[in-house]
């Protein structure tokens, strides 16, 4: 049963407002909210997320990764394939809000272009047909 949402860009301009809102809805409805966050490990990713969003309900799961990471046989967006296989068929939609708002910075094409392509690959990998 598809009862989870995967959100990218959770620590960004849109994410800091959207993640707490979605988390509350997911908590009320018994759903899981996965949030992709850049960082070295799960603890640092969770600290980074909480530092911009505030405390979050138990339904939130942090995925350490990066939308700009090149997809490989072993991972997509830096998320190990073993984790992604466990998510297959359970994600109702992927919401891609990972972006660079510095339109003249060097990371703009990397995040806004390549990151969007990789978010599409991520959605396909977890068998999710709803990508926003």
């Amino acid at each position: 049963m598809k009862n989870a949402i995967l959100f990218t860009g959770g620590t960004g301009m849109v994410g800091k407002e959207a993640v707490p809102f979605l988390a509350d809805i997911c908590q009320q409805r018994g759903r899981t909210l996965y949030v992709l966050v850049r960082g070295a490990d799960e603890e640092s990713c969770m600290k980074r997320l909480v530092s911009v969003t505030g405390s979050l309900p138990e339904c939130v799961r942090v995925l350490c990764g990066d939308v700009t990471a090149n997809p490989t046989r072993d991972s997509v967006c830096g998320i190990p394939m073993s984790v992604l296989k466990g998510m297959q068929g359970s994600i109702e939609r992927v919401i891609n809000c990972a972006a660079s708002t510095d339109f003249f910075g060097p990371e703009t094409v990397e995040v806004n272009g390549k990151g969007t392509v990789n978010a599409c690959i991520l959605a396909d990998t977890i068998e999710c047909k709803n990508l926003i």
Side-chain angles (χ1 to χ4, degrees), residues 75-90:
S75 68
V76 176
C77 294
I79 305 168
M81 201 59 75
S82 59
V83 172
L84 296 175
K85 285 187 179 186
M87 297 170 70
Q88 285 179 336
S90 69

Side-chain angles (χ1 to χ4, degrees), residues 45-107:
C45 289
M46 183 56 97
K47 283 182 182 177
R48 185 167 180 227
L49 181 61
V50 169
S51 74
V52 292
T53 61
S55 64
L56 294 166
E58 291 180 12
C59 68
V60 176
R61 303 283 182 267
V62 172
L63 296 170
C64 289
D66 186 341
V67 294
T68 65
N70 289 326
T72 68
R73 218 173 54 197
D74 301 319
S75 68
V76 176
C77 294
I79 305 168
M81 201 59 75
S82 59
V83 172
L84 296 175
K85 285 187 179 186
M87 297 170 70
Q88 285 179 336
S90 69
I91 306 297
E92 181 183 347
R93 69 194 58 201
V94 174
I95 302 172
N96 179 37
C97 288
S100 171
T101 57
D102 177 9
F103 294 107
F104 301 105
E107 73 283 347

Side-chain angles (χ1 to χ4, degrees), residues 32-54:
T32 302
L33 176 62
Y34 293 96
V35 183
L36 179 63
V37 177
R38 279 181 295 163
D41 55 54
E42 190 174 324
E43 184 179 341
S44 65
C45 289
M46 183 56 97
K47 283 182 182 177
R48 185 167 180 227
L49 181 61
V50 169
S51 74
V52 292
T53 61

Side-chain angles (χ1 to χ4, degrees), residues 7-22 35 48-54 56 97:
F7 191 97
T8 70
T11 59
M13 184 172 64
V14 173
K16 69 182 179 182
E17 301 296 329
V19 167
F21 178 77
L22 285 171
V35 183
R48 185 167 180 227
L49 181 61
V50 169
S51 74
V52 292
T53 61
L56 294 166
C97 288

